[in-house]
């Protein structure tokens, strides 16, 4: 790819540095049972209650693959426009750790189920960039170690042991922490649209290993460090910023970077070496003799392809062409499948731009403040749409619309009050009767002769009168009419 | 390929097997003999030959996505040298 421009260089003592980033994201497959056993995958169960003899690696137990997990991997591969491999192989990745009872993780090494694909990421300035996907493979998750329950012991819970993960590996195509964050956001959106991973980073169902290296622009790739298991989008940004500056400082001091695994510590925002993992890097992969190659027909792939939903990029393009939304607004609305559905429901047969503004402005702000998800929105899409209708036919002013929205938000859907009922009940209808507005304007002018004199000198003062009239009419006067009348009466040219 | 003492140490460590120092060199000799035996296989030309994964034509066995197992925490931890509160208890491992 072209390396011509990069606006995201980090300046050091010896000039500007380019950060090169590649991500390995572990996404937990949405399935009832584990990858190779019939134990449950549900989050938050009591320790070791969702463990079969297979997951505990009891002697003589054999893995049998959960076909749903294969479908989910293929589905994800199709969503990433990737090559699907009808023949792939499970390997053993050997390492020793207390939360890995088998002593190896069943993974895929040389022949993964999904090959090269791509993700188009959406950047802050509304532009997009294509990031290559190198591969996606299926593997088992390990158990969980708890270190803070006992002074000398670690406690191990195997509930997560054997849960299916998709490891999704990007090409080193990202050049800033913002791009890496946009990549994870977009990947998460695609997985959620597909229904193959819930993308819940707080519960660990999505986590990222971030590969960071730095170089002078145009130079070959520098030595990389891998920051393991970063579990939030914000931490991904912090970890990259810290790690890039750490590497630049070492190189500029005449040192060199050791290729190593590092941990991000959210408490101080720094990364530190994880030396114990170094020797374990000799994984001695070999094909798992307990499992035949993973094979399926092209028909199986085609059947899954036929059930793919409309994905974020297609939806965004449709929102822009069908509803006339800006790339930025469309991008915000399609980031979550639920937001997009809410918008479309509310926009049915109405001015879509006004609906989009109200969803992105009032609704998202309200939900954010209340800590609510859009599916739990106190304002239904029907009522939000009805409110836009009242605004469009000039029944209420935009200022009143904000108030009515807040009332609907406070009351919640159980009260079931439509916006027109609220407007009726509280007498919030916009005053469009010119006579009434004129009277209100006259009253304000008469009460402030000194300001009238000033306004004739300084036409900008007119805004103050408009504000006063709006206040005296309780916000119900049509602001455009008020503005017009005030200017007229002050003798100011429009 | 020749296995020296250093490699024997490394393999033993990766496999978490304690090997007494006096056995290192004889183990190296044994491993070299095994590797020599395996190396004979490379005399056969296997270009364009797919690996044989089973002696009869068969496909990977599949299971449905249904919860059919688990829910016996006492059995799971029964053989553990130490357990506490239904967790396995192991010497402290902190990164």
């Amino acid at each position: 790819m072209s390396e011509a421009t990069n606006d995201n260089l980090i300046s050091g003592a010896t000039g500007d540095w380019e950060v090169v980033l590649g991500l390995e994201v572990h996404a937990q497959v949405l399935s009832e049972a584990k990858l190779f056993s019939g134990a449950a995958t549900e989050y938050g169960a009591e320790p070791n209650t969702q463990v079969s003899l297979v997951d505990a690696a009891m002697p003589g137990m054999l893995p049998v693959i959960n076909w749903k997990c294969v479908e989910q991997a293929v589905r994800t591969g199709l969503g990433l426009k990737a090559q699907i491999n009808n023949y792939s192989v499970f390997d053993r990745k050997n390492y020793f750790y207390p939360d890995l009872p088998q002593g190896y993780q069943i993974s895929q090494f040389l022949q993964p189920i999904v090959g090269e694909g791509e993700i188009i990421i959406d950047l802050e300035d509304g532009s997009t960039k294509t990031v290559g996907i190198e591969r996606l493979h299926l593997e088992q998750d390990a158990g969980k170690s708890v270190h803070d329950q006992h002074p000398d012991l670690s406690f191990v819970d195997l509930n997560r042991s054997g849960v299916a993960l998709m490891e999704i590996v990007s090409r080193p195509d990202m050049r800033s922490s913002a791009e890496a964050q946009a990549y994870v956001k977009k990947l998460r959106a695609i997985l959620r649209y597909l229904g193959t991973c819930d993308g819940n980073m707080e519960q660990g169902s999505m986590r990222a290993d971030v590969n960071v290296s730095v170089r002078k622009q145009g130079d070959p790739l520098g030595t990389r460090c891998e920051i393991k298991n970063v579990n939030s989008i914000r931490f991904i940004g912090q970890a990259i910023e810290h790690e890039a500056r750490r590497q630049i400082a070492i190189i500029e001091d005449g040192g060199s970077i050791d290729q190593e695994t590092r941990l991000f510590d959210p408490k101080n925002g720094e990364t530190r070496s994880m030396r114990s993992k170094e020797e374990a890097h000799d994984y001695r992969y070999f094909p798992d003799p307990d499992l035949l190659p993973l094979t399926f027909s092209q028909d199986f792939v085609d059947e899954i392809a036929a059930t793919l939903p409309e994905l974020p990029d297609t939806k965004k393009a449709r929102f822009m062409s069908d509803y006339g939304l800006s790339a930025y607004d469309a991008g915000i609305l399609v980031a979550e499948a639920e937001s997009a559905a809410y918008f479309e429901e509310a926009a049915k047969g109405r001015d879509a731009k006004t609906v989009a503004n109200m969803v992105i402005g009032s609704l998202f702000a309200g939900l954010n403040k209340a800590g609510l998800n859009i599916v739990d929105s106190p304002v239904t899409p029907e009522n939000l749409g009805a409110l836009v209708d009242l605004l469009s036919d000039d029944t209420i002013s935009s200022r009143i619309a904000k108030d009515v929205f807040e009332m609907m938000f406070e009351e919640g859907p159980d009260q079931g009050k439509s916006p027109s009922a609220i407007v009726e009940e509280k007498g919030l209808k916009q005053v469009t009767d010119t006579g009434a507005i004129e009277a209100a304007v006259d009253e304000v002018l008469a009460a402030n002769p000194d300001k009238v004199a000033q306004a004739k000198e300084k036409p900008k003062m007119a805004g103050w009168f408009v504000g006063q009239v709006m206040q005296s009419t309780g916000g119900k006067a049509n602001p455009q009419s008020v503005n017009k009348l005030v200017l007229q009466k002050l003798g100011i040219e429009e | 390929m020749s296995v020296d003492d250093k490699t024997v140490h490394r393999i033993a460590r990766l496999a978490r097997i304690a090997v007494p120092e006096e056995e290192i060199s004889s183990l190296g000799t044994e491993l070299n003999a095994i590797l020599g035996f395996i190396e004979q296989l490379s005399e056969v030309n296997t270009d364009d030959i797919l690996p044989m994964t089973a002696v009869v034509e068969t496909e990977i066995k599949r299971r449905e996505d249904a919860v059919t197992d688990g829910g016996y925490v006492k059995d799971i931890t029964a053989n553990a040298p130490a357990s506490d509160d239904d967790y396995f208890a192991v010497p402290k491992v902190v990164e």
Side-chain angles (χ1 to χ4, degrees), chain A residues 31-33 36-40 47-49 51-53 56 58 64-68 87 90 96-98 146-148 150-158 263 272 274 276-277 279 282 284 291-296, chain B residues 9-11 13-16 50-80 82-95:
Chain A
S31 65
E32 298 295 322
F36 294 115
S37 86
N48 292 313
T49 54
V51 182
S52 76
L53 298 177
M58 293 295 173
V64 180
I65 195 160
N66 179 344
W67 204 248
K68 175 72 181 282
Y87 180 102
F90 284 108
F96 183 84
Y97 209 72
V146 184
H147 304 296
D148 56 3
H150 193 282
D152 319 308
L153 298 173
S154 288
F155 288 170
V156 179
D157 171 13
L158 297 182
L263 263 188
R272 61 186 157 85
M274 214 174 149
S276 60
K277 282 267 178 185
E279 184 151 25
D282 189 347
R284 296 149 292 147
L291 288 158
L292 283 163
L294 177 55
T295 50
F296 42 77
Chain B
H9 275 293
R10 180 171 168 76
I11 295 167
R13 173 156 175 72
L14 283 169
R16 296 312 198 265
L50 291 174
M52 186 181 75
T53 51
V55 286
V56 289
E57 198 162 315
T58 175
E59 286 205 335
I60 190 167
K61 200 168 176 283
R62 309 170 178 189
R63 73 160 67 236
E64 299 261 310
D65 183 31
V67 177
T68 56
D69 209 344
Y72 38 78
V73 53
K74 298 298 171 204
D75 291 348
I76 290 297
T77 54
N79 295 326
S83 66
D84 196 329
D85 246 357
D86 292 338
Y87 285 99
F88 292 92
V90 302
K92 197 113 184 159
V93 272
V94 178
E95 286 296 343

Side-chain angles (χ1 to χ4, degrees), chain B residues 8-74:
Chain B
V8 176
H9 275 293
R10 180 171 168 76
I11 295 167
R13 173 156 175 72
L14 283 169
R16 296 312 198 265
I17 296 172
V19 179
E21 200 53 45
E22 62 270 22
E23 288 179 25
I24 291 287
S25 132
S26 63
L27 260 179
T29 313
E30 282 180 38
L31 285 170
N32 275 320
I34 293 167
L35 285 172
F37 176 68
I38 293 170
E39 266 166 27
Q40 287 181 32
L41 295 174
S42 62
E43 290 169 17
V44 183
N45 184 343
T46 54
D47 293 352
D48 302 323
I49 297 176
L50 291 174
M52 186 181 75
T53 51
V55 286
V56 289
E57 198 162 315
T58 175
E59 286 205 335
I60 190 167
K61 200 168 176 283
R62 309 170 178 189
R63 73 160 67 236
E64 299 261 310
D65 183 31
V67 177
T68 56
D69 209 344
Y72 38 78
V73 53
K74 298 298 171 204

Side-chain angles (χ1 to χ4, degrees), chain A residues 26-337:
Chain A
H26 292 86
Q28 186 181 322
V29 174
L30 270 179
S31 65
E32 298 295 322
K34 295 183 181 181
L35 181 54
F36 294 115
S37 86
T41 57
E42 204 177 327
Y43 179 79
E46 291 298 312
N48 292 313
T49 54
Q50 296 178 351
V51 182
S52 76
L53 298 177
V54 178
D55 310 318
M58 293 295 173
M61 295 296 113
L62 287 173
V64 180
I65 195 160
N66 179 344
W67 204 248
K68 175 72 181 282
C69 299
V70 176
E71 281 179 29
Q72 294 284 54
V74 170
R75 198 172 169 76
T76 306
L78 291 169
L80 300 175
K81 301 185 190 76
Q83 183 201 323
I84 307 298
N85 296 323
N86 300 40
Y87 180 102
S88 63
V89 174
F90 284 108
D91 298 281
R92 292 185 180 180
K93 177 180 179 177
N94 300 276
Y95 66 92
F96 183 84
Y97 209 72
D99 58 22
L100 188 77
Q102 289 169 151
Y104 59 85
Q105 176 192 34
I106 303 179
S107 181
Q108 299 190 295
F109 187 47
L110 293 176
Q111 293 170 278
I113 183 167
V114 175
E116 288 187 23
E118 64 179 42
I119 289 184
I120 297 167
I121 61 172
D122 304 283
L123 300 167
E124 284 289 324
D125 62 2
S127 67
T128 59
K129 173 175 177 169
T130 303
V131 174
I133 299 292
E134 190 174 304
R135 59 185 283 161
L136 173 156
H137 66 254
L138 278 169
E139 63 182 27
Q140 298 176 299
D141 205 346
K144 188 179 78 178
S145 301
V146 184
H147 304 296
D148 56 3
Q149 302 280 308
H150 193 282
D152 319 308
L153 298 173
S154 288
F155 288 170
V156 179
D157 171 13
L158 297 182
N159 280 346
R160 227 173 54 190
S161 165
V163 167
L165 299 179
M166 296 178 282
E167 178 170 326
I168 302 162
V169 183
S170 84
R171 295 229 167 258
D173 287 349
M174 287 153 279
R175 295 290 179 271
S176 69
S177 55
E179 288 185 6
Q181 290 174 310
Y183 170 82
V184 175
K185 276 187 202 157
K186 190 58 173 284
L187 175 58
R188 185 173 62 177
I190 292 171
L191 295 173
R192 283 178 169 165
Y193 268 67
L194 292 167
T196 56
C197 171
D198 66 20
N200 193 332
M201 298 186 86
E202 302 81 63
Q203 294 180 358
S205 43
M206 213 177 126
R207 37 198 207 264
D209 297 345
V210 189
N211 286 292
V212 183
S213 66
V214 298
R215 64 174 172 188
K216 288 282 172 68
Q217 248 185 317
D219 281 1
L221 290 175
T223 305
R224 67 188 163 88
C225 290
E226 180 181 13
I227 311 165
K228 279 277 182 198
N229 270 338
V230 193
N231 63 0
S232 84
I233 289 176
R234 190 163 58 93
F235 290 163
I236 288 171
Q238 288 176 3
I240 292 168
E241 292 296 326
H242 174 269
E243 177 60 18
R245 284 176 173 77
R246 186 190 72 89
Q247 292 185 11
I248 291 167
I250 291 173
I251 300 170
E252 292 194 330
D253 280 352
S256 61
I257 304 300
D258 295 326
Q259 182 166 346
E260 62 175 357
T261 308
R262 299 180 67 84
L263 263 188
F264 174 69
D265 186 347
K267 277 195 233 62
N268 54 21
E270 292 180 356
T271 66
R272 61 186 157 85
S273 184
M274 214 174 149
R275 299 201 191 282
S276 60
K277 282 267 178 185
E278 290 315 290
E279 184 151 25
H281 263 158
D282 189 347
Y283 290 131
R284 296 149 292 147
Y285 280 100
F286 64 90
D288 191 323
D290 288 342
L291 288 158
L292 283 163
L294 177 55
T295 50
F296 42 77
S297 65
Q298 188 56 40
D299 284 349
F300 170 71
V301 179
D302 293 343
E303 275 167 35
I304 297 171
T307 65
L308 283 198
E310 182 184 37
L311 290 169
D313 290 327
T314 323
K315 209 185 269 292
K316 182 178 165 189
R318 182 166 63 81
F319 278 16
M320 289 166 69
S321 64
D322 289 9
Y323 295 113
L325 300 185
S326 68
Y328 182 80
D329 286 354
I332 291 179
L333 289 171
V334 305
E336 304 277 347

